């Protein structure tokens, strides 16, 4: 719940995630930074009330829930 940004969660060389990425109930999250380019599983962003933009989100998704 204390996550403010996704910067530093992923290595710079990670371009794809072959699985799910779920970031839920982080009310302080306000920025998506340094995200993978592609997620082959589910991508969820739920309950992140400070997140006002999807700028920085992955460019290619198979399934998303926002």
């Amino acid at each position: 719940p204390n996550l403010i940004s996704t910067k530093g969660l992923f290595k710079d060389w990670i371009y794809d995630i072959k699985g799910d990425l779920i970031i839920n109930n982080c009310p302080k999250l306000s920025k998506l930074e340094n995200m993978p380019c592609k997620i082959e599983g589910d991508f969820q962003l739920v309950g992140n009330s400070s997140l006002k933009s999807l700028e920085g989100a992955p460019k290619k998704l198979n399934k998303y829930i926002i």
Side-chain angles (χ1 to χ4, degrees):
N2 294 319
L3 185 66
I4 296 170
S5 169
T6 57
K7 186 175 183 176
L9 290 180
F10 305 97
K11 301 225 183 246
D12 289 333
W13 50 267
I14 294 180
Y15 297 104
D16 298 349
I17 291 182
K18 297 180 189 311
D20 300 335
L21 177 58
I22 299 169
I23 303 173
N24 291 343
N25 301 314
C26 296
K28 297 178 184 178
L29 178 66
S30 62
K31 268 189 179 174
L32 300 176
E33 295 181 86
N34 198 33
M35 298 285 287
C37 293
K38 181 179 178 184
I39 297 176
E40 293 186 8
D42 292 349
F43 178 53
Q44 289 186 25
L45 287 173
V46 177
N48 304 304
S49 56
S50 294
L51 188 63
K52 305 298 182 200
S53 169
L54 293 178
E55 183 179 342
K59 305 291 184 224
K60 295 181 183 181
L61 304 171
N62 283 346
K63 182 178 176 186
Y64 60 93
I65 300 169
I66 298 176

